[in-house]
Amino acid sequence: TQIATTAQVHDTVTTVPENAQTGTSYTLVLADAGKLVTLNNAAAITLTIPTNASVAFPIGTRVDLLQYGAGQVTVGGAGVTIRSSGAKLKLTGQYSGATLWKKAANEWVLVGDITA
């Protein structure tokens, strides 16, 4: 019995669904796992990572981020630890991207085009 065609598998591993956000703040939800969250606003944007008690992302979850607008994106979250090079938590500018990866219950790693 065939479960999926080659074309279906290819599409699944080569496309990334988008969650487009246009406000000045956004808190990740479980449905963001494996997606590209685009953040598009002229004003500064705060992206919040919820605690594991609020949203239980599986360990190993990846969420990609793209600052699509001019408003600088800052990543944060009360009760979570965000590890990044030099403790940088902001995307550098319009069209810059980063990835969040869940390492432990309330520990995330942020890598990419980031700044202080």
Side-chain angles (χ1 to χ4, degrees):
T1 304
Q2 184 174 4
I3 297 172
T5 67
T6 302
Q8 289 169 324
V9 172
H10 181 267
D11 185 54
T12 299
V13 298
T14 59
T15 60
V16 177
E18 177 186 5
N19 177 3
Q21 295 297 314
T22 58
T24 56
S25 64
Y26 181 68
T27 299
L28 294 176
V29 296
L30 195 55
D32 290 322
K35 289 187 178 173
L36 171 66
V37 177
T38 57
L39 301 138
N40 186 4
N41 199 298
I45 302 166
T46 301
L47 179 108
T48 301
I49 302 170
T51 63
N52 193 68
S54 297
V55 180
F57 287 99
I59 292 174
T61 294
R62 175 182 172 159
V63 179
D64 293 324
L65 308 174
L66 173 65
Q67 181 181 317
Y68 198 74
Q72 188 171 41
V73 175
T74 301
V75 179
V80 298
T81 299
I82 304 169
R83 312 256 186 226
S84 66
S85 175
K88 299 171 186 169
L89 297 175
K90 296 181 179 185
L91 276 66
T92 60
Q94 191 169 21
Y95 310 121
S96 64
T99 297
L100 283 166
W101 178 69
K102 187 171 183 180
K103 170 78 173 150
N106 286 303
E107 180 181 355
W108 290 76
V109 177
L110 176 66
V111 296
D113 193 7
I114 55 177
T115 190

